[in-house]
Amino acid sequence: MRHRGSTIQDVAKAAGVSASSVSNFLNERHDQMSPDTRERIAQAVQTLGFTPNTAARQLKTGHAPLLGLLVPSVANPFFGELALAVEQAANRRGFRVVLCNTLRDPQRERSFMEELVAGGVRGLLGASAPADAATIEWLRQRAIAFAAFDMRHTDIHMDDVDIVTIDNQQAIGMAVDHLVAQGHRSIAYATALPLSPSRQARLAGYRQAMARHGLQAIEISREPTPGQSPYGDTALADIGRAAAAEYLALAQRPTGIVCLNDMFAMGMASGLRAAGLSIPGDVSLVGVDNISLCDVLSPGLTSVAQPFDLIAEAAVEQIVGRIRDPQQQPRETVLAPRLVQRGSTAAPHS
């Protein structure tokens, strides 16, 4: 139940702490309290619907308790699920999240950054076009903490940015290993244009895994239609459906396909079914990300999972740490993916 007109004293009573502890929490002095105390205060704030006077706090501290999250587009449910996990992790630390869809347009991304910083935001998280050195320097001069998802320091040639990602090469390697273990010897990799660091890493992971198993790589790369972003973020299912036609045109069709991500795989499954093929009877299919839609398909989509909660926790923890201590050294956190087997993969028919 939400209560109108709640005060700091109400929050303190509900959390079983002092009003000064609540004040410390609201003013981001979290190092002065235990994790349990922070969690109880956060829960009390949420339960009571307590809204602090943000304008007054910004006048006092010079910044707003907000984080900016820049993603290509929540049309891809991966970014929607990541955004929710980031929001929950931020809320537990007394921050709110402003979500921006950049469409991987560097100018649009820079414009969002400038607006957020002008509004008092001191921490940005980017899952979009990697910021260039000039933008990073612009952020550094303004003491803005910045963390990036789904890339490595070696990808962007900048080691002064916090990074949180899964091992994308390992993710695709796991998908190939799974199909090989099922008995597949002809395995294709289907992708949109590999323009981003993560897409390039996944393609490299496929090639390495196929070479490790002594198998020939078979690559299907599909471009978006004219007028769409070259990354195709808002139309990945459509691109996957179009890629199914390229698979069907192969003289020797592979018995297994590893797809760039789940949305691409779902589109490809639609195109294959429209042509009369059975999954996994005629071809096995594996995606990457393990978005919630994988469970509601029939058959369910085997996918390599990204741990959304761990990614969000690590990124928010790092960026909040940099906000409180600008001298904190940036880190690169690489999390292990996990394969979730469902009904879209099986042994190939002899």
Side-chain angles (χ1 to χ4, degrees), residues 130-327:
D132 57 27
T135 298
I136 296 300
E137 180 60 28
W138 181 84
L139 293 170
R140 185 188 296 111
Q141 290 175 357
R142 289 156 179 78
I144 305 300
F146 182 73
F149 296 106
D150 215 24
M151 60 190 71
R152 304 290 294 270
H153 281 144
T154 52
D155 295 326
I156 58 177
H157 306 293
M158 290 179 279
D159 59 5
D160 51 359
V161 174
D162 281 301
I163 297 284
V164 181
T165 183
I166 63 164
D167 187 324
N168 281 291
Q169 291 191 25
Q170 181 187 10
I172 298 299
M174 292 175 70
V176 171
D177 291 346
H178 169 68
L179 290 174
V180 169
Q182 295 279 327
H184 296 269
R185 304 296 294 172
S186 179
I187 302 168
Y189 181 63
T191 180
L193 292 178
L195 299 177
S196 67
S198 62
R199 292 185 185 182
Q200 293 164 10
R202 291 181 186 187
L203 179 57
Y206 166 74
R207 291 171 176 170
Q208 291 172 5
M210 294 296 282
R212 174 162 43 83
H213 289 289
L215 302 176
Q216 180 181 357
I218 304 168
E219 298 170 14
I220 299 171
S221 180
R222 184 73 184 189
E223 297 184 13
T225 59
Q228 292 179 337
S229 161
Y231 291 88
D233 290 299
T234 60
L236 284 169
D238 291 335
I239 297 171
R241 188 179 298 110
E246 297 190 20
Y247 167 83
L248 294 166
L250 294 174
Q252 296 291 326
R253 296 176 183 171
T255 60
I257 305 173
V258 177
C259 293
L260 163 68
N261 59 27
D262 292 336
M263 290 304 295
F264 194 101
M266 291 175 189
M268 193 153 201
S270 174
L272 295 174
R273 287 198 189 94
L277 271 63
S278 167
I279 300 171
D282 295 310
V283 58
S284 288
L285 209 58
V286 183
V288 180
D289 291 338
N290 196 41
I291 60 177
S292 58
L293 289 174
C294 292
D295 272 324
V296 302
L297 295 181
S298 181
L301 179 64
T302 295
S303 182
V304 182
Q306 297 215 43
F308 293 105
D309 54 344
L310 298 181
I311 291 171
E313 280 292 325
V316 173
E317 182 68 27
Q318 288 176 206
I319 200 170
V320 170
R322 290 282 293 278
I323 289 173
R324 293 175 182 152
D325 178 12
Q327 301 306 312

